[in-house]
Amino acid sequence: TRGENNNGNQVADVFADGDANLADLGEALQGVDGAEAATEDNIGLRGQKDQGGRGDVGIGGVSRGGGGDAKVEKAVAAAPKKATAGVGKVEAASGEGADAIRATVKRYQARIKQCYEQRLKEVPSLGGRVAADVSISAGRVTSVSIAENTTGDGKLEACITRSIKSWRFDTSVSDDIYLPFSLNAS
C-alpha cells in the first residue's frame, strides 16, 4: 500500500486500477526492505505485534494462513559483456585520401560498437566479422553494401549499414572503400 488516510495509516493499493505510474512490480517495490501488515483471521505475522494488531516484519515474515511461506531472494544479474568493434585494414580503390578516410572511420567507429552492443543485449553469443563496401562522393556516402557478415545477424547488419550511410568524410574524398569490422564480446 501507499498513501495515508485520515489517521496517518497507509491505505492505497499500489496496483489499483488506473494507477499507471506503478504498473511494474519492481518499480512499486523499489527500496522496500520490510512490510507492515494488520492481522486478521487469515493473515498471520511471525514477530512481535503491537496493541493494534500490527507488527513490523521483513518481507519473508509475512504469510497468509493456509498458503505457506514465500521465500524472497536477491537476484544476481550476469555481468555485462564487454564489446569490442575493431576496424581491420581499410582499403581504398584509388588509394588517395587514405589519411582522411582512416580519420573519419576512427571518428565513427564508436557507432559500429553501439550497434553491436545493442544486439549483444538480445543475442549474447553474437560475434564475428562484418565488412562493408562503401561508395563516397565529395565526402558523402552514396551507397553501402555488406560484403561479408559472419555473425548472420540481419539486425546488426541493418544497423551498421544505417550508421555508415550517415557518416561524413572530408569533401576531398571520392572513392570506393572496403571497411572490415571485427566484433567480439568477452
Side-chain angles (χ1 to χ4, degrees):
T1 62
R2 68 181 176 118
E4 295 184 0
N5 68 6
N6 295 342
N7 299 330
N9 298 320
Q10 296 182 349
V11 295
D13 182 348
V14 295
F15 296 107
D17 291 339
D19 197 348
N21 293 332
L22 293 172
D24 179 350
L25 179 61
E27 182 181 320
L29 298 176
Q30 186 175 8
V32 172
D33 61 2
E36 187 176 302
T39 60
E40 290 183 15
D41 293 343
N42 63 346
I43 298 177
L45 296 176
R46 291 190 301 260
Q48 188 168 347
K49 298 175 196 150
D50 68 14
Q51 292 177 351
R54 296 168 45 145
D56 291 331
V57 295
I59 295 293
V62 178
S63 66
R64 186 163 182 84
D69 295 328
K71 186 173 183 179
V72 179
E73 295 184 15
K74 192 174 220 175
V76 178
K81 291 190 172 196
K82 182 179 179 188
T84 58
V87 180
K89 183 178 180 199
V90 177
E91 298 174 18
S94 72
E96 294 181 25
D99 290 338
I101 291 170
R102 277 193 291 278
T104 300
V105 172
K106 186 175 181 179
R107 184 171 69 235
Y108 290 113
Q109 184 176 346
R111 291 188 183 180
I112 302 301
K113 184 178 175 186
Q114 285 176 327
C115 288
Y116 181 47
E117 287 173 337
Q118 279 182 311
R119 294 302 298 144
L120 269 179
K121 291 176 186 174
E122 292 183 41
V123 187
S125 62
L126 188 64
R129 179 180 160 102
V130 177
D133 287 320
V134 181
S135 293
I136 307 162
S137 178
R140 299 272 181 171
V141 174
T142 57
S143 71
V144 177
S145 64
I146 299 299
E148 180 183 8
N149 181 0
T150 66
T151 70
D153 191 277
K155 289 182 180 180
L156 174 63
E157 184 175 310
C159 183
I160 289 173
T161 299
R162 275 191 313 275
S163 176
I164 294 172
K165 283 182 180 178
S166 70
W167 294 6
R168 298 294 178 253
F169 291 80
D170 186 275
T171 56
S172 65
V173 175
S174 290
D175 210 339
D176 293 321
I177 61 173
Y178 178 79
L179 295 173
F181 297 98
S182 177
L183 308 170
N184 300 296
S186 58

